[in-house]
Amino acid sequence: MSDYELKERSPSGHGDSVNGAAKTPTSPTKGSAASTPMGTGKEDGSALTPDVKVKTPDSDHQGVTMERKVGLISGVALIVGTMIGSGIFVSPKGVLRETGSVGPCLMIWLACGVLAMLGALAYAELGTAIPKSGAEYPYLWEAFGPIPAYLYSWTSVIVTRPSMLALISLSFADYATEPFYDVHCPAPDSVKKILAVLLVLLITFANCWSVKLATSIQNFFTAAKLLAVALLIMVGFVMLGFGNTEHLQIENSFPSGKSPSISAIGVAFYQGLWAYDGWNNLNFVTEEIKNPYVNLPRSIIVGIPLVTGCYLLVNIAYFTVMSPLELLESPAVAATLGTRTLGVMAWIIPLSVAFSTFGAANGTCFTSGRLCYVAAREGHMVSILSMVHVRRLTPSPALIFNAVLSVLMILPSNFDVLVNYFSFAAWMFYGGTFLGLIVLRFTKPDMPRPYKVPIIVAIVVTVASAYLVVAPVIFEPALEYLYALLFIFAGLLLYIPFVHYKISPKWMDPITRQLQCILDVVPTEQEPLG
């Protein structure tokens, strides 16, 4: 058995149940995931637990669990829908600015797609060998123990995941309001913020209502954004047919004497990989994937090359209409393309961006809630966040908590520092996870691995991650990177008393019971070690 499995516990007290759903929420009992101050209170690295339907030793009812609702199509939609946000429509010029010409720019976009694919394949091995939700969280725990996993969950749950949702929601508000305001009289910030908050509340409600509704929304908006991307690509092909190839010709794409420097290439990779972020999102919901040993790798193999192809072809379409200088000067590149080629139908572009960001926000909400839920289930967050709705079978407390933090981040005027913080911290944890794959190959060689990547893939992505952590600090030094590290390790101030020493404030139990009654949630059953 893997160290990742559970030491036997006594069953949770859920009250009576019918068809696997408890009639009424009850208070946490000894042995349940909610009975210790921050959940299970485990810290020895040997007691992470799966969510499966089981019969408890002292009763014949089935426990409340989350269900496997994510199939291959929904898996691809989750990957594509969260990777393609507003960036490729609005401002895909960070790479061009650093590379200086069209040829190297397109090469960097392709190389970023290859790197994202290699990283996702490494995660496919980890996801099938350790079929638990939470992405990096269970993999870091399995490879290095509970403390790195806790620091990841602390950073992601409190800052990075809510800030992603807030940023995407604000992007949605920017483009959803554009048709109703003139360019000389833009929408007030207050209107945009209200709309962004409403989006967060709407998608959180949908995700709390049912997994099926959330995945249906994801599938619809992913299809809509792919249609928008297809429209841009078709425009590009039409312009190529008209002979607009000036900026794509070899002598213009690779001008002599304009090769980018090594540092510029590093920054360009950083910019490009931001657009590819989301390649690991399916690993956040592994426990809800139908036949994850097959559908997880297949979704990755279909989804990421699809996004890479879309990014390359859309960039080519831009260069059939704009010169590199015009692209850099455009505040919204896709809108400029639409204005020049679509005429009275140019309104399709802001609508497409709004659809794209809506889908990305829904996918981010869906995956963020699962990370919070898993971390709480393993004792690294307060126990109420580890519970699921007795009938909806959704982690509604975790989803609501993520929404509250996102709304709080929308309210300030500027939180760009959080975006920089996310980029820096994300690649640090990605690198730790890739390193963990290599470590597990030696420390646990007999672990079942239904899908296995060549070890060179793990080495390449580990080295690339290390570079992407160091590069911004060297080439663009800023204090926020120091603040990021301080915040990450500040999590130990909570870990040591509440997880390691299991200190339990007396006032937490009555609060937890009241929240259980209000939210109609219970702890999930967990399979004892067989």
Side-chain angles (χ1 to χ4, degrees):
M1 286 289 189
S2 164
D3 287 345
Y4 196 63
E5 294 176 343
L6 175 65
K7 295 179 180 177
E8 185 169 356
R9 298 180 186 161
S10 59
S12 305
H14 288 174
D16 296 332
S17 70
V18 179
N19 295 327
K23 287 182 178 178
T24 56
T26 59
S27 61
T29 60
K30 186 177 180 180
S32 76
S35 61
T36 54
M38 294 191 72
T40 60
K42 301 182 296 298
E43 61 88 26
D44 62 354
S46 63
L48 286 179
T49 57
D51 250 2
V52 294
K53 291 186 176 181
V54 296
K55 301 246 182 179
T56 59
D58 62 346
S59 68
D60 59 0
H61 74 271
Q62 289 184 317
V64 176
T65 64
M66 293 169 65
E67 298 179 323
R68 295 189 182 274
K69 296 281 191 180
V70 181
L72 177 61
I73 294 176
S74 295
V76 173
L78 185 61
I79 292 173
V80 174
T82 52
M83 288 180 72
I84 301 178
S86 63
I88 194 62
F89 297 100
V90 181
S91 183
K93 52 193 179 184
V95 177
L96 179 62
R97 183 185 298 111
E98 300 300 331
T99 55
S101 53
V102 174
C105 172
L106 295 177
M107 291 177 65
I108 291 292
W109 277 106
L110 176 61
C112 288
V114 171
L115 183 59
M117 184 67 186
L118 294 177
L121 291 176
Y123 271 51
E125 174 179 326
L126 290 167
T128 53
I130 309 167
K132 308 294 189 294
S133 294
E136 291 85 355
Y137 179 80
Y139 312 150
L140 290 169
W141 186 308
E142 186 75 22
F144 303 114
I147 292 180
Y150 170 81
L151 293 178
Y152 168 73
S153 66
W154 155 258
T155 306
S156 299
V157 170
I158 302 300
V159 175
T160 59
R161 303 297 297 187
S163 69
M164 286 176 63
L165 180 55
L167 180 63
I168 295 169
S169 299
L170 286 169
S171 296
F172 166 82
D174 281 338
Y175 281 84
T177 56
E178 183 174 310
F180 304 100
Y181 288 86
D182 187 78
V183 103
H184 303 293
C185 182
D189 285 344
S190 58
V191 171
K192 294 179 181 179
K193 289 182 179 182
I194 290 171
L195 189 57
V197 169
L198 290 175
L199 174 64
V200 171
L201 297 179
L202 177 62
I203 60 175
T204 300
F205 174 80
N207 278 265
C208 290
W209 188 258
S210 78
V211 173
K212 184 177 181 180
L213 176 59
T215 55
S216 297
I217 291 172
Q218 193 65 31
N219 295 349
F220 173 80
F221 281 97
T222 298
K225 76 174 64 181
L226 287 177
L227 287 175
V229 168
L231 174 63
L232 294 178
I233 293 171
M234 288 173 59
V235 169
F237 279 124
V238 170
M239 300 306 290
L240 286 173
F242 287 151
N244 291 4
T245 60
E246 176 187 355
H247 306 300
L248 297 171
Q249 294 173 2
I250 295 297
E251 60 272 19
N252 295 327
S253 297
F254 296 92
S256 58
K258 292 192 70 174
S259 298
S261 65
I262 296 297
S263 61
I265 291 174
V267 177
F269 258 100
Y270 208 71
Q271 296 285 339
L273 286 168
W274 172 258
Y276 281 95
D277 196 73
W279 52 264
N280 64 329
N281 270 342
L282 194 57
N283 291 71
F284 282 99
V285 298
T286 305
E287 294 171 20
E288 296 170 73
I289 300 175
K290 301 173 184 176
N291 194 4
Y293 306 110
V294 173
N295 285 330
L296 178 59
R298 283 183 180 175
S299 298
I300 289 168
I301 291 169
V302 172
I304 295 179
L306 177 60
V307 173
T308 303
C310 288
Y311 281 177
L312 279 173
L313 292 174
V314 168
N315 273 280
I316 290 172
Y318 291 149
F319 290 121
T320 64
V321 176
M322 289 169 275
S323 68
L325 181 59
E326 288 174 327
L327 189 146
L328 289 174
E329 292 177 346
S330 173
V333 180
T336 301
L337 181 145
T339 301
R340 295 186 180 186
T341 60
L342 299 179
V344 295
M345 298 299 291
W347 57 267
I348 291 176
I349 299 301
L351 179 64
S352 299
V353 177
F355 270 51
S356 181
T357 49
F358 192 105
N362 181 74
T364 301
C365 177
F366 187 84
T367 55
S368 300
R370 271 57 183 178
L371 172 60
C372 183
Y373 158 75
V374 171
R377 187 182 67 188
E378 309 309 333
H380 287 171
M381 294 286 159
V382 292
S383 59
I384 188 66
L385 301 178
S386 70
M387 300 184 192
V388 300
H389 195 279
V390 293
R391 291 179 300 278
R392 304 293 175 188
L393 302 181
T394 58
S396 51
L399 290 164
I400 293 170
F401 180 69
N402 180 68
V404 169
L405 292 179
S406 298
V407 169
L408 291 176
M409 292 178 182
I410 288 171
L411 297 179
S413 298
N414 191 319
F415 63 99
D416 288 346
V417 67
L418 290 177
V419 176
N420 296 332
Y421 173 87
F422 164 72
S423 302
F424 173 78
W427 280 100
M428 186 166 62
F429 287 115
Y430 291 158
T433 304
F434 296 139
L435 180 62
L437 186 152
I438 299 172
V439 169
L440 288 172
R441 287 285 185 92
F442 294 97
T443 59
K444 298 183 180 179
D446 298 326
M447 173 186 286
R449 292 175 171 86
Y451 177 86
K452 193 173 182 178
V453 295
I455 192 68
I456 188 64
V457 170
I459 293 172
V460 167
V461 290
T462 301
V463 172
S465 299
Y467 175 77
L468 289 167
V469 170
V470 174
V473 178
I474 294 176
F475 301 133
E476 297 179 359
L479 280 176
E480 55 257 40
Y481 301 124
L482 175 61
Y483 298 152
L485 287 174
L486 291 176
F487 179 86
I488 291 170
F489 288 103
L492 294 174
L493 298 177
L494 294 176
Y495 179 88
I496 292 171
F498 296 116
V499 179
H500 183 78
Y501 288 108
K502 303 179 179 64
I503 295 174
S504 176
K506 293 181 179 180
W507 45 266
M508 280 299 296
D509 281 345
I511 292 176
T512 300
R513 285 194 294 270
Q514 289 298 319
L515 288 175
Q516 276 189 267
C517 293
I518 293 170
L519 299 175
D520 204 14
V521 295
V522 292
T524 52
E525 287 287 354
Q526 299 169 340
E527 185 179 41
L529 186 62

